[in-house]
Amino acid sequence: MGKVQYYTEEGLKRLKDELQELKTKGRSDIAKQIAEARDKGDLSENAEYDAAKDAQGHLELKIAKLEAVVGNARVFDNSQMDTSKVGILSTVKIKNVKNGMTVSYTLVSEEEADLKAGKISLGSPFGKGLVGKKVGEVAEINAPAGALQFEILEISY
């Protein structure tokens, strides 16, 4: 059994939609490619057929992995959380102690992470450094550029 991951309702819906797309349209497209390649004759020397079968294998692997993720996915219910601390799906406003720059991030699962959208993974160095901290505390984060310190200014869910 895989590790339970928490998602927003939108994030889980996106995963389920992708899985459905792969199972229907993806499988249908691969079946057509295999049929077309098979119609071209001798399968022992047919590179198109081999490529289509490889693509089918990759698709089925992706479907299996996505099914495992969806099977272990849970929609996050923040009514059960200690909202005074940084946790999954919390939006946290932090200030760089060194230069005073402030930014806000939402902590999400790895599959939902999108830095451009301000969503960082719980498993990232920033996510790990922020989890469990309260407003006013300083989080020390080990980044590739070295150790950075961020003060927690605000936490919201």
Side-chain angles (χ1 to χ4, degrees):
M1 176 159 183
K3 189 172 85 172
V4 171
Q5 291 274 356
Y6 289 93
Y7 294 89
T8 59
E9 283 186 42
E10 305 84 53
L12 184 56
K13 182 181 180 332
R14 206 170 30 251
L15 283 175
K16 287 180 177 180
D17 290 347
E18 180 183 355
L19 179 59
Q20 187 62 29
E21 175 84 8
L22 291 174
K23 284 180 160 184
T24 56
K25 187 178 182 309
R27 282 180 172 160
S28 173
D29 291 347
I30 293 290
K32 285 177 189 170
Q33 290 175 16
I34 291 171
E36 287 173 13
R38 190 180 298 129
D39 289 343
K40 293 185 179 174
D42 185 11
L43 298 181
S44 65
E45 295 179 16
N46 189 334
E48 273 185 58
Y49 179 78
D50 292 340
K53 290 299 279 182
D54 283 347
Q56 182 183 35
H58 289 294
L59 177 70
E60 292 303 325
L61 181 63
K62 188 172 183 179
I63 288 171
K65 285 182 179 180
L66 205 48
E67 282 177 334
V69 168
V70 169
N72 292 315
R74 304 290 180 268
V75 174
F76 179 73
D77 176 14
N78 64 358
S79 66
Q80 306 294 319
M81 288 292 294
D82 178 357
T83 56
S84 68
K85 295 179 180 179
V86 176
I88 181 127
L89 300 181
S90 63
T91 299
V92 59
K93 185 175 182 180
I94 56 176
K95 179 176 85 174
N96 187 319
V97 172
K98 194 172 186 178
N99 65 17
M101 187 176 126
T102 62
V103 291
S104 290
Y105 292 116
T106 301
L107 277 75
V108 296
S109 65
E110 288 184 33
E111 288 82 9
E112 289 186 275
D114 180 1
L115 190 57
K116 290 179 184 175
K119 295 179 177 183
I120 59 172
S121 165
L122 277 174
S124 70
F126 268 82
K128 288 177 182 174
L130 294 172
V131 169
K133 300 289 189 243
K134 294 183 176 186
V135 172
E137 289 186 342
V138 174
E140 187 159 320
I141 298 168
N142 294 317
L148 304 171
Q149 293 185 326
F150 292 91
E151 181 183 353
I152 310 297
L153 301 176
E154 241 175 73
I155 302 169
S156 59
Y157 280 88

